[in-house]
């Protein structure tokens, strides 16, 4: 039999496989996170008809004579070039700009993907919307549970600002109220009354703290004095310690120590004692009520920040990305997922934007990187290659027919 007949068959087989790869690329032109594949061919072994002859005295060398035995598929490579980003507006849709893979856990296995079409399940876990596999962060499964609470913080310091009018008569009073949060996050109202007492000392204002809350048994350190110098700045009494003693029915930690800061070095807006309208008021305080999670955002660095009803925000977790020395060596596992192999190298896990890993674009999805123009061009080339190999088989068949006809 003619060698060319079998050589043509190898060409048909190889180009048929190339058509399979091209068809798969075109089929996944709209698959989120899909990376197109390309093929390379390699020739099969060659049959040596005559060996080489070395040059000798008065005679040149002769090269080896070989006949090739066909072609085979050398490799199928995945190209991890960046796909275009499509904006969705959904905060759980995530796209990677640059290198890296999202890390997913199936419970028993770890997988990787570029397709960030994620959603929240009933437990508030961020999961892959196709498989339900859980997205991994710095602390394990990334959990964003709407309605979850953040603990209250009791007040420890109250910062005051504004002016006490030095031009009013002795005995004149000025009152302000301010909140103090207990350990349960309940706001307790306290009234601070300032009384001018320049008769006792120049620039002196006496103050007294009172309350009308049934859950407060008593106030310790409820009186004091604030003295301003001739320039209207505080010269003494810039801070005071107020102790709040709660009744057992309040259920809060007792006693609670609260620093009243009228003008210490840490108070950026100290009170003044100028001749002018009294405007003293609370500037800020460090206590906060408990709150429930209202919304969240995912930053380019992978940080998941929750926003609570009490005005607080805090980082809930940070998404992890995996980098590979050879991403082309990953094993496709279906559903846009990849598995680690010996040729991909071990994953380098870390935060987005660090260690060569890409950044995250929330509210976007990375589209397929398939170039239709290139794929249709390859389709034409593969089709013509297939047709050319069929011609080789046809021509070989005609030669064999002629040989048979010699006998006839």
């Amino acid at each position: 039999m003619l060698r060319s007949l079998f050589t043509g068959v190898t060409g048909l087989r190889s180009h048929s496989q190339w058509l399979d790869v091209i068809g798969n690329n075109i089929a996944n032109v709209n698959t989120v996170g899909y990376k197109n594949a390309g093929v390379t061919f390699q020739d099969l072994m060659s049959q040596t008809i005559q060996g080489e002859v070395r040059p000798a005295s008065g005679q040149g060398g002769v090269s080896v004579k070989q006949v090739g035995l066909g072609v085979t598929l050398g490799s199928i490579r995945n190209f991890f070039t960046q796909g275009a980003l499509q904006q969705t507006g959904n905060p759980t849709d995530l796209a990677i700009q640059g290198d890296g893979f999202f890390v997913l856990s199936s419970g028993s296995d770890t997988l990787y993907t570029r397709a960030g079409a994620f959603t929240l399940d009933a437990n508030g876990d961020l999961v892959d919307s196709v498989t339900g596999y859980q997205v991994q962060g710095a602390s394990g499964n990334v959990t964003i549970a709407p309605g979850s609470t953040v603990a209250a913080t009791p007040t420890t310091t109250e910062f005051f600002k504004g002016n006490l009018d030095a031009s009013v008569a002795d005995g004149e009073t000025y009152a302000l109220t301010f909140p103090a949060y207990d350990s349960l996050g309940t706001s307790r109202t306290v009234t601070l009354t300032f009384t001018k007492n320049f008769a006792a000392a120049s620039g002196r204002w006496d103050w007294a703290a009172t309350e009308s809350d049934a859950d407060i048994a008593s106030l310790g350190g409820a009186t004091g004095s604030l003295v301003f110098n001739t320039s209207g700045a505080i010269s003494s009494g810039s801070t005071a310690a107020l102790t709040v003693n709660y009744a057992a029915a309040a259920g809060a930690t007792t006693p609670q120590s609260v620093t009243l800061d009228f003008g210490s070095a840490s108070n950026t807006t100290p009170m003044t004692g100028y001749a002018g309208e009294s405007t003293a008021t609370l500037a800020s305080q460090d206590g906060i009520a408990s709150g429930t999670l209202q919304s969240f955002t995912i930053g380019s660095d992978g940080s998941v920040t929750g926003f609570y009803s009490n005005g607080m925000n805090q980082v809930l977790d940070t998404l992890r990305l995996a980098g590979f020395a050879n991403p082309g060596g990953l094993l496709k596992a279906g559903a846009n997922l990849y598995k680690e192999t010996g040729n991909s190298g071990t994953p380098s896990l870390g935060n987005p934007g660090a260690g060569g890993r890409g950044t995250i674009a929330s509210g976007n999805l990375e589209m397929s990187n398939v170039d239709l123009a290139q794929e249709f061009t390859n389709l034409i080339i593969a089709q013509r290659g297939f047709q050319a190999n069929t011609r080789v088989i046809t021509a070989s068949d005609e030669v064999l027919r002629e040989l048979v006809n010699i006998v006839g």
Side-chain angles (χ1 to χ4, degrees):
M1 298 295 289
L2 296 175
R3 283 186 294 257
S4 59
L5 192 63
F6 296 101
T7 299
V9 171
T10 66
L12 291 181
R13 183 183 300 113
S14 298
H15 282 82
S16 176
Q17 291 171 329
W18 189 14
L19 287 169
D20 292 339
V21 173
I22 295 171
N24 185 62
N25 285 340
I26 295 175
N28 285 281
V29 67
N30 289 315
T31 300
V32 174
Y34 177 79
K35 299 303 177 184
N36 74 306
V39 305
T40 56
F41 293 138
Q42 67 178 21
D43 64 336
L44 288 172
M45 64 179 296
S46 298
Q47 180 178 359
T48 301
I49 298 174
Q50 179 180 323
E52 77 279 2
V53 177
R54 292 184 179 183
S57 177
Q59 182 179 357
V62 178
S63 298
V64 63
K65 295 182 178 66
Q66 291 181 301
V67 177
L69 298 180
V71 64
T72 186
L73 198 65
S75 67
I76 301 177
R77 296 179 296 162
N78 295 314
F79 300 105
F80 287 88
T81 55
Q82 180 72 49
L85 300 191
Q86 179 180 0
Q87 188 173 12
T88 66
N90 181 5
T92 58
D93 284 341
L94 306 177
I96 301 173
Q97 298 187 90
D99 296 332
F101 297 82
F102 295 110
V103 184
L104 304 179
S105 174
S106 65
S108 59
D109 200 3
T110 300
L111 300 104
Y112 308 92
T113 185
R114 292 279 299 191
F118 302 141
T119 188
L120 297 179
D121 67 6
N123 296 325
D125 290 334
L126 188 64
V127 299
D128 178 43
S129 59
V130 177
T131 62
Y133 295 163
Q134 294 168 313
V135 182
Q136 298 301 289
S139 57
N141 298 341
V142 176
T143 302
I144 311 170
S148 60
T149 60
V150 62
T153 302
T155 299
T156 61
T157 305
E158 306 269 1
F159 293 95
F160 296 92
K161 66 178 181 178
N163 185 63
L164 290 175
D165 189 358
S167 64
V168 300
D170 260 19
E172 289 287 331
T173 61
Y174 178 82
L176 64 89
T177 59
F178 61 91
Y181 290 95
D182 63 19
S183 60
L184 299 177
T186 304
S187 178
R188 308 293 182 176
T189 301
V190 179
T191 299
L192 202 59
T193 303
F194 294 92
T195 303
K196 184 179 179 182
N197 191 7
F198 280 27
S202 176
R204 174 172 166 174
W205 287 79
D206 296 329
W207 57 264
T210 57
E211 48 72 33
S212 58
D213 193 324
D215 286 334
I216 298 179
S218 63
L219 294 176
T223 59
S225 296
L226 184 60
V227 180
F228 299 95
N229 60 25
T230 55
S231 298
I234 297 174
S235 60
S236 66
S238 60
T239 61
L242 179 68
T243 302
V244 183
N245 299 297
Y246 294 103
T253 301
T254 188
Q256 178 181 353
S257 179
V258 179
T259 298
L260 306 180
D261 191 325
F262 304 111
S264 71
S266 59
N267 190 335
T268 58
T269 56
M271 290 180 60
T272 58
Y274 302 130
E277 182 182 1
S278 290
T279 59
T281 187
L282 179 69
S284 65
Q285 56 88 35
D286 59 359
I288 196 164
S290 63
T292 57
L293 183 63
Q294 302 293 299
S295 61
F296 66 91
T297 61
I298 299 177
S300 61
D301 60 352
S303 58
V304 183
T305 304
F307 298 88
Y308 293 84
S309 59
N310 59 2
M312 283 189 65
N313 61 78
Q314 67 178 28
V315 176
L316 306 176
D317 208 335
T318 301
L319 294 178
R320 306 279 274 178
L321 294 185
F324 291 89
N326 176 28
L330 292 168
L331 175 68
K332 287 186 176 182
N336 299 325
L337 302 175
Y338 297 90
K339 286 186 176 182
E340 172 190 348
T341 68
N343 193 42
S344 67
T346 57
S348 172
L349 301 177
N351 294 343
R357 288 171 286 272
T359 57
I360 290 177
S362 177
N364 291 269
L365 290 175
E366 182 186 9
M367 303 307 293
S368 168
N369 68 348
V370 172
D371 183 345
L372 277 179
Q374 183 62 58
E375 294 304 320
F376 282 126
T377 301
N378 291 341
L379 187 63
I380 294 171
I381 296 172
Q383 182 182 7
R384 291 293 178 256
F386 189 93
Q387 290 175 337
N389 280 276
T390 62
R391 296 295 183 270
V392 171
I393 295 174
T394 301
S396 299
D397 177 56
E398 291 176 354
V399 170
L400 289 172
R401 185 181 302 114
E402 292 297 326
L403 289 173
V404 171
N405 290 338
I406 291 175
V407 177

